[in-house]
Amino acid sequence: MPIEKETLKAMIRDYHGFEISDEELDLVAPALNGYLAEVEKLRELDLSDVMSGRLLHADEGGEN
C-alpha cells in the first residue's frame, strides 16, 4: 500500500525533518514505497522452522 503524501508530510513534521516540496516528495515517494513493499514481503516469510540466533551462544575461545 503506497504511503500518502499527507502521511509523509506528517512523519517529516513529527520527526522534525527538513521541509520538502510536493515535487521533492514525488521524487522520493517511489523509493519509499519500494522499501515498504520489501518490508511487507519480509513480514510474509514463514520463519517457524528457523532457530532463533538469540538461543545460540558461540564459544569464541576466550577465558571466562
Side-chain angles (χ1 to χ4, degrees):
M1 168 186 286
I3 301 174
E4 300 289 329
K5 272 189 192 179
E6 294 307 316
T7 302
L8 287 173
K9 287 180 181 181
M11 291 169 61
I12 292 167
R13 182 186 63 247
D14 291 348
Y15 287 98
H16 308 289
F18 297 105
E19 285 192 33
I20 61 175
S21 67
D22 285 344
E23 293 79 20
E24 291 169 318
L25 277 177
D26 289 337
L27 292 173
V28 299
L32 290 173
N33 287 322
Y35 288 129
L36 183 60
E38 294 302 313
V39 167
E40 290 302 321
K41 287 181 188 178
L42 290 173
R43 288 184 182 175
E44 295 172 4
L45 287 177
D46 179 14
L47 300 176
S48 60
D49 289 334
V50 177
M51 184 182 294
S52 173
R54 292 183 290 174
L55 298 176
L56 303 176
H57 178 72
D59 180 11
E60 297 182 12
E63 294 182 27
N64 290 340

